[in-house]
Amino acid sequence: MMILVSGGAGYIGSHTCLYLLEAGHSVIVADNLSNSSTEMLERVKEITGSDIPFFNVDVTDKDAVEDIFNKNQIDGVIHFAGFKAVGESVLKPLDYYYNNTVSTMVLAQACIKHKAERFVFSSSATVYGENKIPFSEDMKLMPATNPYGQTKVISEQILTDAAKANPDFSVALLRYFNPVGAHESGLIGEAPNGIPGNLMPYITQVAKGRLPKLRVFGNDYNTPDGTGVRDYIHVCDLALGHIAALSSIKKGVNVYNLGTGRGTSVMQLIKTFEEVNNVRIPYEIVGRRPGDIAEFYADARKAEIELKWTAKRSLADMCRDAWRFEKNYGA
Ligand code: NAD
Ligand code: UD1
């Protein structure tokens, strides 16, 4: 298939491009480089030996997207493009609502018009809100507590309605849990701008000595060691989940959790990182981060049964690969 990957120059998109090429698909990328550069795509080319036609395009721009569809025989879209920083979304809600929902509408409309009938969307476990764990796909969604989360809820609704009205349109809503790690080559990985907000990139920067110590946000949660519990998933497993979804989605809306089904606490992650990489992570316990939930992880059975996909890489793999990339990359 010829797949248009929006946001393909970013963290999850670049890994997915790699596995799409390895699975024999053709890939074109549309990205406005608002949170990336073309470097990761050049590295994907280095690893796979395949070219990726690149369009420096904002996918909220209807004419620019139409032009890509006119020039290429596209079979499907994987839509990663979007803003993703929760804190920033509270400060700039209109930027987030505009970018994340208009991009979804523009791409879905182009797909329907050009009969590119497979649409895979990057959603998030954040749509479950504070639900009963493990989170399963049939749960009633809770309103998200921040504009970023709302853009995912709204985009899911837009695509669900579009699929209802267009019976040939196949949509996969993939709810990611906590993607971490990097490709085993150490060539591509997560390279956030500025000080990272998420745990794993923060840990790798402490390990590198760029940041003095990790702050552990709360050790008084109702969890086994009191620190927050999440379902960390290796980005390569996550990328492979997209390939599985693309090949087996049915007409209509298909919702899948992409997680491991296992919860890991902040302290367990620090300990594993230290052990497998033989580095020390200085940390201090501080107060809870506002808006954090104590514990969540996926019920991952639906993807296993219907997509024949499971996350195979261990927490040790995630820590090893994240550190290998951090050591290789940048200053
Ligand atoms: P990322 O920022 O690395 O990648 C997103 C890419 O989209 C960037 O390259 C950026 O330049 C591009 N982009 C943004 N707006 C655009 C626009 N209007 N037109 C064209 N390109 C645009 O982020 P990521 O971690 O790879 O996340 C990819 C997707 O997965 C996002 O939609 C994000 O919300 C979702 N997601 C990410 C996580 C996570 O923890 N990383 C978790 C759940 C869901
Ligand atoms: C983040 C996003 C969420 C998204 C999810 C999956 C926020 C507020 N939420 O949440 O929308 O769906 O990723 O990608 O960004 N922690 C520390 N110290 C740190 C950083 C984090 O102790 O410096 C703890 C947190 O309190 C939490 C765990 O580490 O318990 C994971 O945090 P993080 O990586 O930010 O992910 P989420 O909170 O799950």
Side-chain angles (χ1 to χ4, degrees), residues 18-296:
L18 191 157
Y19 286 104
L20 282 166
L21 292 167
E22 286 193 349
H25 297 294
S26 302
V27 174
I28 53 181
V29 165
D31 197 305
N32 65 358
L33 307 181
S34 55
N35 195 36
S36 55
S37 71
T38 52
E39 188 172 356
M40 293 303 154
L41 291 177
E42 280 150 23
R43 292 173 173 214
V44 171
K45 186 178 168 188
E46 196 181 321
I47 299 165
T48 60
S50 304
D51 248 333
I52 304 178
F54 175 73
F55 293 85
N56 188 338
V57 152
D58 185 322
V59 294
T60 63
D61 180 341
K62 209 172 171 172
D63 294 338
V65 168
E66 181 65 18
D67 195 45
I68 298 176
F69 275 81
N70 283 332
K71 289 184 177 145
N72 298 277
Q73 191 59 49
I74 293 165
D75 298 301
V77 166
I78 306 184
H79 177 31
F80 293 105
F83 296 150
K84 63 164 183 176
V86 172
E88 188 184 55
S89 80
V90 177
L91 301 173
K92 299 178 176 173
L94 297 180
D95 289 356
Y96 271 69
Y97 281 114
Y98 186 85
N99 196 44
N100 292 5
T101 65
V102 175
S103 59
T104 304
M105 288 187 268
V106 166
L107 287 167
Q109 253 174 345
C111 281
I112 291 163
K113 178 173 170 195
H114 292 270
K115 303 207 174 308
E117 280 152 351
R118 287 160 197 254
F119 195 103
V120 177
F121 176 64
S122 296
S123 190
S124 166
T126 193
V127 299
Y128 290 111
E130 212 156 342
N131 244 305
K132 202 166 131 307
I133 46 170
F135 294 166
S136 67
E137 291 87 345
D138 53 7
M139 279 178 163
K140 194 168 161 11
L141 304 186
M142 301 286 209
T145 53
N146 56 73
Y148 166 73
Q150 276 302 107
T151 69
K152 294 299 176 190
V153 174
I154 294 167
S155 291
E156 286 201 2
Q157 188 62 52
I158 289 168
L159 292 168
T160 302
D161 291 341
K164 267 187 212 151
N166 297 277
D168 289 331
F169 197 38
S170 307
V171 174
L173 306 176
L174 303 183
R175 295 177 180 159
Y176 311 161
F177 282 67
N178 289 54
V180 295
H183 187 254
E184 63 188 10
S185 62
L187 287 174
I188 59 170
E190 187 171 18
N193 293 328
I195 296 179
N198 296 114
L199 181 60
M200 183 66 99
Y202 204 103
I203 288 180
T204 59
Q205 296 205 10
V206 170
K208 207 169 184 180
R210 272 202 206 149
L211 294 168
K213 65 181 165 197
L214 173 72
R215 289 175 308 148
V216 175
F217 297 138
N219 67 349
D220 55 352
Y221 285 109
N222 185 18
T223 59
D225 64 20
T227 63
V229 168
R230 297 290 184 270
D231 184 342
Y232 298 96
I233 174 170
H234 196 294
V235 67
C236 292
D237 282 326
L238 185 73
L240 286 164
H242 292 70
I243 319 299
L246 199 60
S247 49
S248 46
I249 45 174
K250 301 181 196 67
K251 307 263 182 238
V253 178
N254 307 259
V255 188
Y256 296 107
N257 285 340
L258 297 184
T260 65
R262 286 185 305 275
T264 299
S265 74
V266 176
M267 290 314 298
Q268 283 171 319
L269 187 62
I270 296 172
K271 197 163 169 285
T272 307
F273 192 95
E274 290 186 325
E275 277 170 12
V276 303
N277 294 319
N278 199 22
V279 289
R280 225 173 57 75
I281 305 297
Y283 68 86
E284 67 171 327
I285 309 284
V286 299
R288 294 180 179 191
R289 182 171 65 178
D292 267 355
I293 295 174
E295 178 172 26
F296 65 83

